[in-house]
Structure formats: C-alpha cells, structure tokens
C-alpha cells in the first residue's frame, strides 16, 4: 500500500472491576433499543489477525521536516489570522460600555412609554454583554476590565518584530490569550474553556513571535498550533543547538501513555505521552531533554529510560500496534484543548497516529480534510452511512468526522444479528434518547462505542447520534 502525507496540516461508569479481572474482561455497558449489552474496551478484540498487516516505514524525514518547519520556513499567517480571538474581546468591551452608557443616562424627562422601551433595550444589551463576557473560574461573569487588561497585555504591535527560535521545556498549555484564567460560555459549560487552545509537549520546536507586555507569557508559533504559553515553559535555542536538532535523526516514542521518566534520585521529569517525540542520543543510549538556564536559553541534559516502554520512531504501522496504543489511553479522562494534561477528540487521533510518523493537524475538520480524500457521508441516511463505513472504512486507519468531533473506525461487532460499526474516540458526551426524549450520555474520556451509543440503532427517532451527524470519513493510510 502506498501512504500519502502532506505538509498542511449516562455518565456511563465502567463498573468497578475486581482486581482479578484482566483488561480484556472489563466490559463497557451500553443501552441500545432499551437493552443493555457489553462492549469490550480492549481494542485488540477488533483486530483481524487474518488480515495482512501493512507496515509503513520511511516516514521519519517527512515528519521531522514538518515538525521543525517553524525554524526553517517563513511564516504565512497574518496578524488577523493569528489573533482571531481579539475581535471577541473587543466586542465584549464595546457591549459592556454601551450597556453602562445607557444605564447612566438621565431618565427624568422620559415618558412612561420611553422608560419601558429603555428598560427593554437595557435588558437586551445586558444579555448581549454577559454572553460575550462569559463566566470566569468562580462561575461569575467576567468583567470588561478583565478583558481590557488582557487586550493591553497581548502586545500585538510587537508581533514578529523580533522572532526567536525556541523550544518548549515543560509540557504546557497553549492559550488563546495571555492568562491561565478560563472563559466558559455559561455556568454549565465546564470543561469548555474557550481560551484553551491546545496543549504542547516538552521538546516541541517553536518560534516566539512576541512576549506579553508583563513578560509572563510568550506567544509562540509551532507546526500545528499558535498561542500563548507561560514564559518559564519555553527557552531560546542558540545556533549550535538548532543545528544539532535539525540534523538529528534518532528519536524514541513511548508505547505506554503516561510513562514516568525519572533520574536515579527519583526526581520527576515528565510523564511521557503517546504521540510525544523524544530526541535520542545513541552514543549514551539516553533521551535528550531541555531546561531553561538563567540567560533564557535551552540547555540539554540526558535521562535514562525504561527500554521496554520506548521504541524507535517511527513505529512500523499495524492494526495490532495501533490497538495497543489505543489500549494504553483507554478510559483516560477527557480534556478540552488538552486541559488538565488530558486529551480531547482531535488530540487523541493526532497522538494515536503520530507514533507512526504521521503528522496530523490540530483540529478535527483539518484532520478529516488532511489528505484530500474525504468521502462525503452527508447525503446518506443512517443505514446507508453505516453500510458504507463498514464496506469502505479500513479498521484502525480510517477517521470519521462530524462537526466538532473526530473518531477512529476500528471495525465491527455483531449485535442482535447485525453488523455494527465501532469507533474509538475521546468524547465528553453524546446525545442519546430520541428527538422528543433527549438525554445526555456522558462518556468523559476515551472509549470504544457504537455510532449510536445511548440511542436507537435505526436512527429514525434521533438525528443527534454520532452516526446521524457524521459528515465524512478519510482513510489516513491507503
């Protein structure tokens, strides 16, 4: 097979299991058509061992070229594209000002009719400004003064005036604004902090486009996401280190998510994640890490690693190898934009494929369209969609996209005598029930489910299932 890669880039609890149960025996209960059934959460259950396992190699150089492109290629994003969040901040400030101006107007000469009209205008403006401001960490409305401080601190005029090549030295959050404070749409919108862009692994090459006015944050550009990181989490690279890394061809990846790496004194360094790339020194047989020295530059140091938990990058692709990686993330909690060190849906797919040398973009829509081979499912009914996915999807290689969500197709299972498509995905929740009796099915993390989890298989009474909402699918490896 030829592999194509391009440079664009109800809470359902898993029942408490006794310690004697093996991983394969842990089941995930689901409700479909009013019936309970168990679905194994071992991804290897769905591997077709009779199918020839294709091995994709020689992807290392292509991956590294994209990975380090921020150091070698000229940026193309404009200031307006980069700071897409700015208009929403400014609109909130304007709406708040308009509300306060109207509130402070003299009403002593107004007629009763005009006073009623003014009250209605005030209520409308108040609703608008509160919606734009959103909620903070105390679940109270943010203030316009908070927003103005953020705008002033962005130091946008300094954008790319003095770009500097740098590297991330701690796993970090990438923020849309220079603050760690959240913005939720409302008091019930957790965990969707709209200012959380993404997360970023230690060792990621970036360009610092500017620092915030107070110096606490650095705005960075990387091969897959832009945003603000805490300044202590990024260090400059000198020409010697840059040359070393651009020429380095040896890297390791972990085959078990959250593998702890420590020095002999048991000082903690990092939890190695699936999808994270670790520079490797063959001469010492150690992994290379970076710290920030007093001058703000990156200093390399080396750490021993458990040989059974790390393999040479990129891994040869096979269904079983992908199933193993998915298993190490199974049951992990959902994290919007990588918050709390967890993954969201697109980070799960991105990291799942990264170990094999496949550099996927950050968001779900871009991932689905990445190889320009998106197969349109939007005109099909549910039965046609599922039949098409089963017929044309390649287990562990195909991703299925619906607006705001992405899933890995892993094969099928027989339920009540019918073949049903299965997906592995990282989701907060799905809509179950029917159109007249909606219920929210909480997943809260990585699970294997049908595409009609919590609802009727026929799909006729619910247009909000994963299957009904699916728009397209893309075979990442073909």
């Amino acid at each position: 097979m030829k592999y194509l890669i391009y440079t664009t880039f109800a809470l359902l609890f898993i029942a408490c299991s006794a310690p004697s149960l093996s991983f394969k025996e842990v089941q995930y209960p689901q409700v479909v058509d009013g019936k309970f059934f168990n679905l194994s959460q071992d991804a290897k259950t769905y591997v077709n061992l009779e199918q020839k396992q294709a091995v994709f190699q020689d992807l290392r150089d292509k991956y590294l070229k994209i990975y380090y492109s921020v150091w070698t290629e000229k940026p193309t994003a404009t200031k307006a594209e980069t700071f897409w969040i700015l208009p929403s901040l400014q609109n909130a400030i304007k709406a708040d000002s308009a509300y306060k101006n109207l509130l402070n107007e003299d009403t002593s000469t107004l007629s009763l009719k005009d006073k009623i009209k003014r009250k209605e205008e005030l209520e409308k403006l108040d609703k608008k400004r509160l919606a734009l401001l959103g909620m903070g960490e105390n679940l109270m409305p943010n203030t316009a003064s908070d927003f103005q401080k953020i705008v002033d601190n962005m130091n946008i005029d300094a954008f790319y005036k003095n770009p500097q090549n740098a590297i991330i030295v701690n796993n970090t959050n990438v923020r849309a604004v220079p603050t760690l404070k959240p913005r939720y749409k409302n008091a019930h919108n957790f965990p969707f902090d709209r200012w959380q862009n993404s997360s970023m692994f230690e060792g990621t090459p970036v360009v610092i486009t500017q620092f915030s006015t107070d110096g606490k944050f650095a705005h960075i550009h990387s091969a897959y996401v832009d945003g603000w990181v805490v300044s202590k989490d990024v260090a400059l690279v000198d020409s010697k280190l840059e040359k070393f890394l651009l020429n380095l061809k040896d890297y390791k990846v972990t085959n078990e998510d959250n593998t702890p790496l420590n020095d002999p004194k048991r000082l903690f360094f990092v939890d190695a994640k699936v999808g994270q790339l670790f520079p490797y020194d063959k001469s010492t047989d150690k992994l290379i890490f970076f710290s920030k020295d007093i001058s703000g530059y990156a200093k390399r140091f080396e750490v021993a690693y458990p040989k059974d938990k790390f393999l040479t990058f990129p891994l040869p692709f096979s269904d079983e190898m992908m199933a193993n990686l998915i298993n190490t993330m199974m049951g992990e909690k959902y994290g919007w934009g990588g918050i709390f060190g967890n993954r969201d849906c697109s980070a799960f797919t991105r990291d799942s494929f990264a170990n094999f040398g496949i550099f996927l973009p950050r968001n779900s829509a871009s991932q689905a369209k990445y190889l320009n081979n998106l197969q349109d499912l939007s005109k099909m009914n549910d039965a046609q969609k599922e039949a098409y996915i089963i017929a044309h999807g390649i287990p562990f290689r195909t991703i299925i996209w619906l607006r705001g969500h992405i899933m890995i197709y892993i094969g099928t299972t027989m339920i009540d005598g019918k073949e049903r498509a299965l997906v592995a995905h990282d989701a907060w929740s799905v809509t179950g029930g029917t159109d007249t009796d909606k219920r929210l099915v909480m997943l809260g993390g990585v699970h294997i489910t049908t595409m009609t989890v919590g609802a009727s298989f026929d799909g006729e009474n619910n247009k909000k299932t994963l299957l009904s909402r699916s728009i397209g699918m893309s075979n990442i490896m073909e």
Side-chain angles (χ1 to χ4, degrees), residues 34-170:
K35 303 175 184 176
F36 280 95
F37 69 93
N38 286 324
L39 195 59
S40 173
Q41 294 298 283
D42 180 3
K44 291 173 66 177
T45 302
Y46 311 105
V47 171
N48 183 356
L49 297 178
E50 295 180 359
Q51 182 181 12
K52 184 177 180 181
Q53 301 296 291
V55 178
F56 298 88
Q57 297 175 321
D58 302 324
L59 294 175
R60 180 194 64 188
D61 292 345
K62 292 178 181 178
Y63 188 100
L64 294 177
K65 182 179 180 181
I66 304 172
Y67 191 60
Y68 287 107
S69 62
V70 290
W71 289 355
T72 61
E73 298 178 9
K74 232 179 161 184
T76 58
T78 65
K79 187 184 293 187
E81 290 171 332
T82 301
F83 299 106
W84 53 268
I85 194 73
L86 185 58
S88 69
L89 299 170
Q90 294 170 331
N91 289 339
I93 294 168
K94 289 177 183 177
D96 185 77
S97 178
Y99 169 77
K100 290 177 179 177
N101 288 338
L102 185 60
L103 182 66
N104 292 326
E105 283 184 1
D106 183 13
T107 62
S108 60
T109 61
L110 292 181
S111 66
L112 178 60
K113 181 179 179 180
D114 287 340
K115 286 182 178 180
I116 293 173
K117 183 178 179 181
R118 182 179 173 279
K119 181 182 178 183
E120 291 173 346
E121 290 176 357
L122 270 174
E123 290 173 346
K124 185 177 179 181
L125 277 175
D126 190 33
K127 184 177 180 180
K128 179 181 179 180
R129 74 179 185 98
L130 291 176
L132 290 170
L133 289 169
M135 297 286 184
E137 66 273 29
N138 60 352
L139 298 184
M140 297 289 286
N142 288 309
T143 67
S145 61
D146 292 335
F147 277 38
Q148 189 62 59
K149 288 176 184 177
I150 289 172
V151 172
D152 295 341
N153 200 31
M154 291 174 80
N155 194 22
I156 291 178
D157 288 340
F159 179 63
Y160 263 107
K161 292 288 181 63
N162 181 32
Q164 301 174 88
N165 289 353
I167 198 164
I168 299 298
V169 295
N170 297 300

Side-chain angles (χ1 to χ4, degrees), residues 339-357:
I339 200 75
F340 308 126
N342 299 322
R343 295 177 177 88
D344 58 16
C345 63
S346 55
F348 170 69
T349 53
R350 188 175 189 276
D351 291 349
S352 295
F353 283 100
N355 274 23
F356 304 105

Side-chain angles (χ1 to χ4, degrees), residues 163-183:
Q164 301 174 88
N165 289 353
I167 198 164
I168 299 298
V169 295
N170 297 300
N171 288 352
T172 191
N173 289 316
V174 182
R175 306 286 292 170
V177 292
T179 180
L180 296 179
K181 302 292 186 180
R183 179 196 174 275

